[in-house]
Amino acid sequence: MKVAVKQWHAVAYWKWDTGATTEQDANADEDAEDDVCGICRVSFEGCCPTCKMPGDDCPLIWGQCTHVFHMHCLLKWLNTASSKQQCPMDRRTWVTAERKVDR
Amino acid sequence: MTTISKKRLAKELRELQTHGPPTGIAVVSAEDFECWLFTIEVLGNTLYEGEKFCLRFRFPGNYPIESPEVTFVVDEKWGAPVHPHIYSNGHICASILGNEWSPVLSVVSVCLTLQSMLASCTKKQRPQDNDRYVLHAPLSPKKTRFHYDDDTV
């Protein structure tokens, strides 16, 4: 039998590489907490409350302490005096980690 | 009013409705995104056994970047727990509501912290400076600069 493909429809999805392992991804449904920005509680792949378009327009920011947030959410926090420039998760001084793009 | 507090609070409310509040906590009213009321009880063998209190949260427009104002309701019906860090006007001296607020905290995590603050209390008494504080206290405890000097309770 011969099959001729007349039409096809490609579907792709994207995800930020937050360093979560595939095993963690498999458990993502059970423990969705890890996949949301701790400040706005919206998924990393969504956008911060002031943005409309996810992706490069509303990127993530990584700290040397390994914590991840929407960049806009974290900057709003760091711009306040009460933040004392600390990571909201562990209260260590926030140092933005340099990310090497390896893929 | 900015949308950031509305969006975050809508999520917290949905969470409260789907999973229910933690044991001992109940929603009294959460009709808008400015003021929520909860009842709080400390279950188990504690100094507050059988007592029930009412907590009021007031949210600024930029919550959770800015902390909520959290007080115990004091009126004809409700009273503030007698506790070394809770003033008789309902103001609470707790570092997470002041200079140790973090935007990853939430309504539920604040309730749980206050619950455990009550649970670990060993002596029912008012703060030493209660009378002086209450006499001159600002309307919002967020205008008070508390000294957090006791980590034990």
Side-chain angles (χ1 to χ4, degrees):
Chain A
M1 190 179 75
K2 268 189 177 176
V3 175
V5 177
K6 284 185 171 171
Q7 205 181 23
W8 58 282
H9 205 80
V11 177
Y13 80 101
W14 63 275
K15 225 172 152 29
W16 289 106
D17 177 12
T18 54
T21 62
T22 36
E23 198 183 318
Q24 277 174 310
D25 284 341
N27 294 330
D29 285 339
E30 289 168 39
D31 196 14
E33 280 283 286
D34 292 344
D35 295 330
V36 302
C37 168
I39 298 176
C40 66
R41 303 276 171 106
V42 172
S43 79
F44 288 137
E45 284 71 32
C47 52
C48 84
T50 40
C51 283
K52 290 205 164 65
M53 195 64 106
D56 288 336
D57 290 342
C58 188
L60 303 186
I61 190 166
W62 283 262
Q64 278 185 1
C65 55
T66 76
H67 293 121
V68 189
F69 302 93
H70 288 130
M71 184 180 80
H72 299 148
C73 293
L74 184 80
L75 293 182
K76 266 183 219 132
W77 168 243
L78 292 183
N79 278 334
T80 64
S82 45
S83 74
K84 292 170 277 180
Q85 300 302 303
Q86 290 169 349
C87 169
M89 290 287 189
D90 57 22
R91 301 188 207 277
R92 283 193 273 175
T93 302
W94 179 269
V95 185
T96 303
E98 267 190 54
R99 277 227 117 196
K100 289 193 193 109
V101 179
D102 52 10
R103 269 178 270 174
Chain B
M1 186 181 168
T2 50
T3 56
I4 112 161
S5 66
K6 277 188 193 171
K7 285 189 179 173
R8 169 58 127 74
L9 287 167
K11 288 210 157 239
E12 291 194 44
L13 190 59
R14 223 173 304 142
E15 185 79 3
L16 274 168
Q17 284 160 346
T18 46
H19 296 290
T23 318
I25 311 284
V27 181
V28 177
S29 77
E31 308 298 318
D32 55 30
F33 298 125
E34 278 158 40
C35 178
W36 290 3
L37 293 173
F38 292 85
T39 54
I40 175 167
E41 283 174 278
V42 197
L43 301 173
N45 190 18
T46 72
L47 295 180
Y48 303 93
E49 208 175 340
E51 292 185 66
K52 207 181 214 179
F53 307 100
C54 186
L55 262 184
R56 180 190 288 121
F57 283 74
R58 283 187 206 275
F59 304 102
N62 57 347
Y63 170 84
I65 301 298
E66 192 188 319
S67 64
E69 176 199 304
V70 186
T71 53
F72 281 99
V73 174
V74 178
D75 58 15
E76 314 82 56
K77 196 178 166 201
W78 299 102
V82 179
H83 182 284
H85 296 166
I86 301 168
Y87 292 90
S88 54
N89 63 354
H91 288 195
I92 305 162
C93 175
S95 58
I96 63 151
L97 299 176
N99 71 355
E100 274 179 37
W101 169 255
S102 156
V104 298
L105 295 172
S106 63
V107 172
V108 165
S109 65
V110 168
C111 285
L112 290 174
T113 303
L114 295 178
Q115 216 177 18
S116 79
M117 182 173 123
L118 293 175
S120 60
C121 181
T122 51
K123 197 176 176 199
K124 271 190 175 181
Q125 57 180 23
R126 288 286 177 213
Q128 276 184 357
D129 59 339
N130 184 70
D131 296 349
R132 189 165 51 91
Y133 176 77
V134 170
L135 205 60
H136 302 288
L139 219 51
S140 165
K142 286 174 72 178
K143 295 207 171 73
T144 304
R145 282 183 163 269
F146 287 114
H147 285 278
Y148 310 107
D149 44 11
D150 178 8
D151 302 326
T152 56
V153 195

